């Protein structure tokens, strides 16, 4: 009651402010929320629905609006036209599991434990799961009245039900618990990957914590995820909802439904992207039909750069060097579009941001509680989204597993180590005794090492990396072993 009075008083005191921009309203709202306003006092109609679309292994250059010459993505392009298209947007890791963990928790994988352990130095801990003490975006949103769904690929643990989406803030889950190329039924060669069959992968399709189909008929993956999302929108339109639509494509093996197969000039990879584009169109059309387009934030991005080991079955990083599994720009920089008809100020945004920033931004836009009991690694992008103000992010740390490979501040990026492809599923690392320095403004393709020319810049970035590492407390598997690693269900 006291809170209600405070709210009423605020409106009397600041009527003019409340008639100004949405940004001012949100700032005022956050100030009010900061005074221990409880979640249930926020009116549901003030909170936007959120649909977070995550493509898997889609490269920076795979949509026509990001410059692809032959793949046609009219619906993604339309989102960009009406919303914001970002050109300096990063993931926190260039492989699936740590990238997704960072996106959902707003914390670097080295803090949340979803990066490599000693046995698998560079890859992810996908054989375990997201520690239960981590807070996901879905958990934060549930606290303020959202109904939440995870549709599609999870890959944050599956060997115990406590790792699944329904134990991590999602009311509803429909999808595959890990990558579509896992649980192989035979030894895979490059040729088999490039001529995929459903029977090569014993991947389960799950609803909640139950397996409903196995092997998953992947030809209809994108179509069925989309139909499920549309149904969820229609059934939950009366209260705020959060949908994490996590496509399992275009991660190999590539599969497209009959309506898209053989249609794209770019071949099967293009068919797959064009079906994801169709999915975006269906979502927007449904939001319009249901009268939700003014009150829904749609975010479209990818979990890492393209997987180039399979030739034309992998996507394009545009003009960026490197690919999935490396900390070159091509592995870490991804497409990112924000669309919210009544609020996002449309344009092309060249500010720096990362999937790590989605957690604080979503908290700011919804009144969800921002965790204060742990180190968070994101920045609130609200002012950039609503008013095109400068982003607070001016630096980015590029990890490979537990190791810091590179750091960026402003336009300068310094590589201590790099990772290169040596063939099909073969990689090697290069340690640079003299780190490599690139100016991403003048040289976005990281072609011209200018370390010798700018020793002061090298020193500055080295210092930044050292300071960062001094303040990192890695998640320690030894100190905090995750119980229940061995599940009862055979996945
Ligand atoms: Mg991926």
């Amino acid at each position: 009651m006291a809170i209600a009075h405070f709210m009423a008083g605020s409106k009397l005191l600041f009527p003019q402010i409340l008639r100004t921009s949405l940004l001012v309203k949100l700032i005022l709202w956050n100030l009010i929320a900061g005074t221990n306003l409880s979640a249930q006092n926020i009116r549901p109609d003030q909170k936007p629905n959120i649909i977070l679309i995550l493509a898997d292994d889609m490269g920076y250059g795979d949509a026509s609006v990001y410059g692809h010459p032959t793949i046609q993505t009219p619906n993604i392009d339309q989102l960009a036209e009406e919303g914001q298209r970002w050109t300096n947007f990063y993931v926190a890791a260039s492989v699936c599991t740590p990238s997704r963990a960072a996106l959902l928790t707003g914390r670097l994988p080295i803090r949340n434990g979803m990066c490599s352990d000693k046995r698998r130095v560079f890859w992810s801990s996908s054989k375990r799961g997201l520690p239960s003490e981590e807070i996901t975006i879905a958990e934060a949103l549930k606290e303020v009245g959202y109904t939440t769904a995870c549709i599609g690929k999870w890959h944050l643990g599956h060997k115990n039900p406590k790792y699944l989406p329904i134990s991590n803030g999602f009311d509803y889950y429909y999808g595959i618990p890990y990558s579509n190329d896992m649980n192989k039924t035979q030894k895979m060669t490059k040729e088999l990957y490039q001529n995929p069959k459903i029977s090569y992968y014993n991947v389960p399709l799950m609803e909640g914590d139950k397996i409903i189909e196995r092997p998953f008929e992947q030809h209809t993956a994108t179509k069925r995820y989309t139909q499920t999302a549309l149904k969820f929108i229609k059934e939950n339109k009366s209260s705020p909802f959060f949908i994490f639509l996590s496509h399992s494509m275009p991660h190999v093996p590539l599969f497209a439904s009959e309506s898209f197969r053989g249609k794209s000039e770019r071949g099967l990879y293009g068919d797959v992207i064009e079906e994801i584009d169709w999915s975006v169109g269906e979502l927007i059309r449904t939001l319009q039909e249901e009268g939700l387009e003014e009150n829904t934030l749609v975010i479209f991005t990818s979990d890492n750069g393209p997987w180039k080991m399979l030739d034309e079955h992998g996507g394009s990083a545009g003009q960026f060097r490197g690919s999935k599994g490396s900390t070159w720009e091509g592995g870490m920089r991804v497409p990112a579009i924000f669309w919210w008809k009544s609020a996002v100020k449309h344009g092309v945004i060249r500010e720096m941001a990362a999937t790590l920033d989605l957690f604080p931004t979503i908290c700011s836009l919804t009144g969800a509680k921002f965790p204060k009991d742990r180190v968070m690694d994101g920045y609130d992008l609200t002012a950039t989204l609503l008013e095109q103000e400068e982003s607070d992010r001016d630096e980015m740390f590029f990890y490979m597993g537990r190791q810091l490979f590179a750091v960026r501040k402003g336009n300068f990026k310094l590589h201590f180590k790099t990772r290169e492809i040596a063939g099909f599923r073969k990689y090697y690392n290069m340690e640079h005794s003299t780190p490599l320095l690139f100016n991403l403004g003048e040289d976005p393709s990281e072609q011209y090492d200018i370390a010798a020319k700018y020793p002061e810049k090298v020193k500055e970035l080295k210092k930044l990396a050292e300071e960062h590492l001094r303040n990192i407390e890695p998640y320690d598997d030894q100190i905090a072993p995750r119980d229940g690693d061995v599940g009862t269900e055979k996945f």
Side-chain angles (χ1 to χ4, degrees), residues 54-58 93-97 99-100 153 155 179 247-248 250-251 302-305 307 324:
L54 186 69
D56 193 356
D57 296 4
M58 178 172 169
S94 63
V95 290
C96 305
T97 295
S99 171
R100 286 151 188 272
K153 169 172 161 175
H155 212 184
S179 285
H247 286 292
S248 39
H251 190 294
S302 176
D303 70 339
N304 50 252
W307 212 3
K324 174 177 179 172

Side-chain angles (χ1 to χ4, degrees), residues 86 351-353 357 379 381 384 389-394:
W86 290 59
E351 297 292 313
M352 204 191 305
D357 304 330
Y379 294 88
L381 305 176
T384 318
E389 302 209 345
E390 281 183 15
S391 155
D392 286 337
R393 181 177 286 283
D394 189 39

Side-chain angles (χ1 to χ4, degrees), residues 168-432:
N168 284 283
F170 291 97
D171 297 310
Y172 178 72
Y173 172 50
Y174 175 93
I176 60 173
Y178 41 69
S179 285
N180 59 329
D181 68 334
M182 286 170 66
N183 223 319
K184 298 172 184 68
T185 56
Q186 62 195 90
K187 190 173 162 44
M188 294 299 293
T189 60
K190 188 172 177 179
E191 288 66 36
L192 288 177
Y193 260 116
Q194 289 173 322
N195 297 284
K197 288 196 168 61
I198 298 298
S199 60
Y200 295 166
Y201 309 94
N202 195 25
V203 176
L205 173 67
M206 302 185 73
E207 190 167 32
D209 60 355
K210 302 277 181 296
I211 294 174
I212 58 170
E213 180 180 310
R214 193 170 198 174
F216 178 38
E217 173 43 84
Q218 296 195 44
H219 289 102
T220 51
T222 302
K223 188 181 255 182
R224 285 193 282 169
Y225 294 160
T226 306
Q227 287 163 345
T228 305
L230 302 185
K231 188 165 173 266
F232 188 86
I233 291 171
K234 288 175 188 167
E235 285 175 357
N236 293 281
K237 62 183 177 185
S238 56
S239 63
F241 60 79
F242 170 53
I243 299 175
F244 176 39
L245 176 54
S246 174
H247 286 292
S248 39
M249 298 288 146
H251 190 294
V252 292
L254 300 177
F255 292 102
S257 72
E258 213 179 319
S259 346
F260 288 88
R261 245 181 353 255
K263 299 285 160 64
S264 170
E265 199 184 338
R266 171 63 176 79
L268 181 54
Y269 186 86
D271 298 339
V272 165
I273 297 291
E274 289 179 10
E275 187 155 23
I276 289 174
D277 180 74
W278 161 83
S279 169
V280 170
E282 287 298 290
L283 288 165
I284 300 302
R285 187 177 57 76
T286 302
L287 291 175
Q288 286 163 346
E289 283 172 6
E290 300 295 332
L292 299 170
E293 63 174 334
E294 299 292 326
N295 195 36
T296 304
L297 168 66
V298 178
I299 304 166
F300 181 92
T301 190
S302 176
D303 70 339
N304 50 252
W307 212 3
K308 286 189 175 171
M309 63 164 194
L310 288 165
D311 307 338
E312 74 273 25
H313 279 236
S316 162
Q319 64 173 293
F320 299 122
R321 181 172 177 174
S323 56
K324 174 177 179 172
S326 86
T327 47
W328 293 109
E329 291 292 293
M332 308 284 293
R333 210 189 289 204
V334 289
I337 297 168
F338 293 78
W339 180 93
W340 178 4
K341 255 200 154 168
S342 63
V344 165
K345 192 171 176 183
H346 77 90
V348 177
I349 305 296
R350 294 180 174 82
E351 297 292 313
M352 204 191 305
T355 49
L356 289 164
D357 304 330
L358 296 181
F359 195 124
T361 305
I362 287 172
C363 284
S364 169
L365 294 173
T366 61
K369 197 171 143 203
F370 185 68
K372 299 243 167 67
D373 61 342
R374 61 198 67 206
V375 180
M376 299 291 287
D377 292 296
Y379 294 88
D380 179 4
L381 305 176
T382 303
T384 318
L385 291 178
L386 305 186
E387 299 292 334
Q388 291 195 6
E389 302 209 345
E390 281 183 15
S391 155
D392 286 337
R393 181 177 286 283
D394 189 39
E395 59 195 29
M396 189 68 203
F397 299 95
F398 301 81
Y399 275 87
M400 184 64 73
R402 287 172 174 251
Q403 298 184 41
L404 185 68
F405 267 38
V407 58
R408 173 178 177 181
K409 185 165 176 61
N411 270 342
F412 288 90
K413 181 175 172 188
L414 192 70
H415 294 264
F416 306 104
K417 293 178 184 176
T418 51
R419 191 162 206 233
E420 313 294 341
I421 300 175
F424 177 63
R425 284 189 173 273
K426 287 190 187 123
Y427 301 87
Y428 67 93
N429 297 316
M430 287 184 70
E431 196 161 343
H432 303 284

Side-chain angles (χ1 to χ4, degrees), residues 44-178:
D45 61 359
Q46 287 177 307
K47 289 183 280 190
N49 306 305
I50 296 167
I51 303 178
L52 171 54
I53 307 168
L54 186 69
D56 193 356
D57 296 4
M58 178 172 169
Y60 182 89
D62 282 330
S64 29
V65 73
Y66 277 92
H68 201 284
T70 55
I71 298 176
Q72 294 182 47
T73 54
N75 296 298
I76 294 171
D77 299 358
Q78 186 69 23
L79 275 196
E81 174 65 29
E82 294 174 1
Q84 283 186 4
R85 179 171 71 86
W86 290 59
T87 64
N88 265 286
F89 197 89
Y90 287 107
V91 288
S94 63
V95 290
C96 305
T97 295
S99 171
R100 286 151 188 272
L103 179 152
L104 284 178
T105 64
R107 281 153 57 77
L108 284 168
I110 192 159
R111 293 193 217 275
N112 65 36
M114 295 307 285
C115 60
S116 58
D117 55 24
K118 281 173 189 159
R119 285 165 293 151
R120 308 178 79 212
V121 175
F122 292 106
W123 298 93
S124 54
S125 292
S126 56
K127 288 196 170 171
R128 296 188 176 180
L130 189 67
S132 53
E133 64 268 25
E134 290 297 321
I135 301 168
T136 66
I137 292 174
E139 284 167 332
L141 287 175
K142 263 183 79 67
E143 289 290 313
V144 288
Y146 277 71
T147 309
T148 56
C150 173
I151 299 166
K153 169 172 161 175
W154 178 239
H155 212 184
L156 291 174
H158 59 272
K159 290 205 167 181
N160 186 299
K162 73 175 184 174
Y163 297 141
L164 291 171
I166 49 164
S167 303
N168 284 283
F170 291 97
D171 297 310
Y172 178 72
Y173 172 50
Y174 175 93
I176 60 173
Y178 41 69

